[in-house]
Amino acid sequence: MTGLGTGINVLAILVGTGLGAVLGDRLPKRWRELMVSSLALFLLAMGVYQAMQAFTGEFATAAGGAATILILAALVLGGGLGSAIDLESRLDTLGGWLQRRFSRGGAEDHRFATGFVTATLLFCVGPMAVLGAFADGVQGDPGILAIKSILDGFIALAFAANLGWGVGLSAAAVLVYQGGLTALASVLSTVMVPAVIGSLTAVGGILILAISLRMLELREIAVANLLPALPLAPIATAVYLALA
């Protein structure tokens, strides 16, 4: 059934958020902080592994010496575009509006917006979202998204224990993003060859690295402003491979 993978993913995020938000205050603060730190360290390792696609794998092999230049150009140009639009502030503003819309507001505004923005970025930037959506849309196979759902459910639980119900609203972004990719999969699959997907994986890994640094409170990087780099990298790679 096409779209089943995204449905499972959305449900997992909502269940994880519900458990985390309900249990959050009952869990010792030190345990909650350690859980988030452990998750951040795991994401740091995963980000490094994915970012290495810029230097190894099918993308690096196909693009050769231009691979790192394509990734760097996508990040610089994408970051410039995102900063001009100020995506980070817009997402924060949206999170604050959703907080006022769906809760009583007050001192929890910042935590709610942070939970929404961080979870939305994390659930959408990874390559599993793209690969899973393609497999679901073209082959009707929800397997990859089912695996992603398990990971996202635990992430939602950990985030919601610290940041509350705002994490759950990221499910709407996942529904639109992954659902849209699933609907377009039959068209996009013709250009999303392994090398092109590798460039997307590399940029996604770098963004995941940035998110993990924020979670560890080592560096406050405006990750949302880098989001335009995600489509720019595969587009630039596809054009380069076509002209090479």
Side-chain angles (χ1 to χ4, degrees), residues 181-198:
L181 287 177
T182 299
L184 293 172
S186 59
V187 176
L188 294 176
S189 61
T190 59
V191 295
M192 295 296 281
V193 296
V196 174
I197 293 175

Side-chain angles (χ1 to χ4, degrees), residues 48-75:
V48 171
Y49 174 76
Q50 292 181 6
M52 288 302 293
Q53 289 289 319
F55 307 100
T56 60
E58 294 187 68
F59 166 60
T61 301
T68 53
I69 297 174
L70 289 170
I71 297 301
L72 182 59
L75 288 168

Side-chain angles (χ1 to χ4, degrees), residues 112-125:
F112 189 98
T114 299
F116 165 69
V117 172
T118 304
T120 296
L121 291 172
L122 190 54
F123 295 154
C124 293
V125 302

Side-chain angles (χ1 to χ4, degrees), residues 19-225:
L19 289 174
V22 170
L23 297 176
D25 292 336
R26 303 177 185 179
L27 300 174
K29 183 179 179 181
R30 286 185 299 176
W31 189 86
R32 283 184 282 143
E33 290 176 347
L34 181 61
M35 182 166 56
V36 173
S37 296
S38 300
L39 180 59
L41 290 172
F42 172 78
L43 292 173
L44 184 66
M46 186 171 71
V48 171
Y49 174 76
Q50 292 181 6
M52 288 302 293
Q53 289 289 319
F55 307 100
T56 60
E58 294 187 68
F59 166 60
T61 301
T68 53
I69 297 174
L70 289 170
I71 297 301
L72 182 59
L75 288 168
V76 172
L77 295 175
L81 179 59
S83 296
I85 303 172
D86 203 5
L87 287 174
E88 186 84 11
S89 293
R90 292 178 184 274
L91 276 177
D92 283 336
T93 300
L94 175 60
W97 179 82
L98 290 170
Q99 159 71 8
R100 293 187 295 273
R101 180 78 174 176
F102 294 103
S103 69
R104 297 177 182 177
E108 298 298 307
D109 280 2
H110 179 68
R111 282 203 325 151
F112 189 98
T114 299
F116 165 69
V117 172
T118 304
T120 296
L121 291 172
L122 190 54
F123 295 154
C124 293
V125 302
M128 289 184 76
V130 178
L131 295 174
F134 285 171
D136 197 5
V138 176
Q139 303 167 358
D141 180 8
I144 296 176
L145 290 182
I147 296 171
K148 178 178 180 289
S149 299
I150 297 172
L151 178 61
D152 288 355
F154 281 109
I155 291 174
L157 190 155
F159 277 11
N162 260 1
L163 300 172
W165 291 100
V167 175
L169 288 174
S170 63
V174 170
L175 178 63
V176 172
Y177 177 67
Q178 283 183 185
L181 287 177
T182 299
L184 293 172
S186 59
V187 176
L188 294 176
S189 61
T190 59
V191 295
M192 295 296 281
V193 296
V196 174
I197 293 175
S199 67
L200 178 68
T201 301
V203 172
I206 292 171
L207 266 60
I208 289 174
L209 273 172
I211 292 171
S212 66
L213 292 178
R214 285 179 59 164
M215 291 173 61
L216 292 169
E217 299 182 356
L218 297 176
R219 178 79 175 183
E220 189 67 23
I221 301 171
V223 184
N225 286 346

